[in-house]
Amino acid sequence: MRQSIKAAGLASLLLLSLTDLSAEPLVKGFFVEKLPANSLSQALAPGKGLVLAHVLNQSQEAITTGNYQVGVQIEDKGNIKTYSLSPKDSITPGALKTFRMAVPIDGIDKKTGSFKVFSRINGITTWSEKYSFLQGLQSSNSKNGVTTLFTEAPSPDEYGVIGKEVPFENQSSNSNNTLKSSSKKKNDSDLNKTKVDENKVALNNIDSTKVQKSNESKKEVVDSTKVAVSNAKDKANETLKKVDETNNKAKVVASEAKSEAIRKINPSEFKKLRTMDEELIIYVVKNGDTLKSISENYYGTASKERTIADLNFIEKSSSIRVGEEIIVEVRPLSKSKS
């Protein structure tokens, strides 16, 4: 199935792996006018389109519930309308969260209208680029002023395993060249720094050998001892750090194993829907189900009841209906399970 995906600065998201993170959040957006007829996701209400707002927390502190909002601003024929929501979940440092917002699009001229998504954290608003409803990110690089990417969504094989994504058709080799160039510059910079450090050590050694007097020789011995002690401490600290990392990984694996053990998941009850960069886990409501029981069934705990409600814009837990498809989890593709 071929899907047209609105580009939202995907290249800049990829370049994050080559640069140091800043404290300011990264905000990107996508627009989906309507879902496919055979979509497993919750259907959009008549006259509404779906805006996906992606917020990446680049700071060292968590963005906590009650201290931030996420929204979209629509501009059409000089008129500006703003819609926002206050998420119930915190965003941990380095985490990427996707927020689904169903907004009215009736009467909007898709050719001239545009939208931007934003995050408002502790009173500070961060805006994304401006997007076209029809063609994605508005840019001066392409001939028609926008950048459109296409991807081929692979079908699962007879065992239900989904293969790798087909590369973007319109993604030029410039993106790969940019990534390679950035990586090469970083490696060259590290190499130059290493050479400078080695030259400094060599010069220090030469200066040390010039010392002839007895008292200077004693000082050299003392200094060498201090360096040896310092190096030993550094190695010990590095060893302890590796031990801590190993223990933390073991704790995470044990926690995930424990969580999987207490779940009561029947794979046939949950379906998967893939977008460009995330996977949606869908559940079909059955007679007697509640958000609490669905949370216990999938997560192994009832504490995720509010998370499921927020993903589906459900205000009252009692409003779910038998046969309704609801989202129970949104996973980034890089972390999703096959």
Side-chain angles (χ1 to χ4, degrees), residues 303-323:
S303 63
K304 294 289 186 177
E305 176 186 8
R306 188 66 257 173
T307 298
I308 299 176
D310 290 341
L311 286 174
N312 297 275
F313 302 98
I314 297 174
E315 296 296 334
K316 296 181 179 180
S317 301
S318 59
S319 64
I320 61 174
R321 302 182 302 276
V322 175

Side-chain angles (χ1 to χ4, degrees), residues 171-189:
Q171 188 173 10
S172 68
S173 60
N174 291 336
S175 297
N176 292 331
N177 292 338
T178 299
L179 291 175
K180 291 178 181 178
S181 175
S182 299
S183 179
K184 184 177 183 302
K185 288 180 180 178
K186 185 176 185 298
N187 291 336
D188 290 345
S189 176

Side-chain angles (χ1 to χ4, degrees), residues 5-10 13 26-32 50-55 71-72 98-99 101 115-118 127-132 136-137 276-277:
I5 306 297
K6 279 64 178 181
L10 184 60
L13 279 175
L26 181 67
V27 184
K28 300 292 178 181
F30 294 93
F31 172 72
V32 181
L50 185 63
V51 172
L52 300 178
H54 303 292
V55 179
V72 56
T98 299
F99 303 94
M101 293 178 285
F115 72 96
K116 297 188 295 184
V117 298
F118 64 88
W127 294 90
S128 70
E129 301 96 336
K130 182 183 290 186
Y131 305 105
S132 162
L137 174 64
M276 183 180 68
D277 61 350

Side-chain angles (χ1 to χ4, degrees), residues 117-230:
V117 298
F118 64 88
S119 67
R120 185 175 293 116
I121 303 171
N122 294 324
I124 300 176
T125 303
T126 302
W127 294 90
S128 70
E129 301 96 336
K130 182 183 290 186
Y131 305 105
S132 162
F133 280 100
L134 290 181
Q135 296 170 301
L137 174 64
Q138 293 186 342
S139 167
S140 59
N141 296 330
S142 58
K143 183 177 179 181
N144 58 359
V146 297
T147 302
T148 305
L149 301 178
F150 297 90
T151 182
E152 184 79 17
S155 301
D157 59 20
E158 58 181 324
Y159 302 104
V161 178
I162 299 178
K164 295 182 178 180
E165 292 279 352
V166 177
F168 293 114
E169 294 177 355
N170 285 5
Q171 188 173 10
S172 68
S173 60
N174 291 336
S175 297
N176 292 331
N177 292 338
T178 299
L179 291 175
K180 291 178 181 178
S181 175
S182 299
S183 179
K184 184 177 183 302
K185 288 180 180 178
K186 185 176 185 298
N187 291 336
D188 290 345
S189 176
D190 292 341
L191 181 60
N192 290 336
K193 184 177 182 301
T194 301
K195 289 181 178 179
V196 170
D197 291 340
E198 290 175 351
N199 290 336
K200 287 181 178 179
V201 172
L203 289 174
N204 288 335
N205 291 336
I206 292 174
D207 290 339
S208 297
T209 59
K210 293 180 180 179
V211 179
Q212 301 296 330
K213 295 182 180 181
S214 175
N215 58 340
E216 292 176 346
S217 297
K218 292 179 180 179
K219 182 178 182 299
E220 180 182 353
V221 172
V222 172
D223 291 342
S224 298
T225 303
K226 289 182 178 179
V227 171
V229 171
S230 177

Side-chain angles (χ1 to χ4, degrees), residues 245-311:
E245 291 177 351
T246 302
N247 290 338
N248 290 336
K249 289 181 181 179
K251 289 179 181 179
V252 170
V253 171
S255 177
E256 291 178 349
K258 181 179 179 181
S259 176
E260 290 294 336
I262 62 177
R263 292 186 180 184
K264 303 175 182 178
I265 297 176
N266 181 351
S268 64
E269 295 180 346
F270 296 90
K271 306 175 183 178
K272 298 179 180 179
L273 173 66
R274 280 195 169 193
T275 64
M276 183 180 68
D277 61 350
E278 62 185 11
E279 182 179 70
L280 309 180
I281 308 302
I282 309 297
Y283 176 76
V284 180
V285 178
K286 297 179 176 56
N287 188 26
D289 282 340
T290 64
L291 290 184
K292 182 177 293 186
S293 67
I294 295 172
S295 175
E296 291 176 342
N297 186 14
Y298 184 75
Y299 288 100
T301 174
S303 63
K304 294 289 186 177
E305 176 186 8
R306 188 66 257 173
T307 298
I308 299 176
D310 290 341
L311 286 174

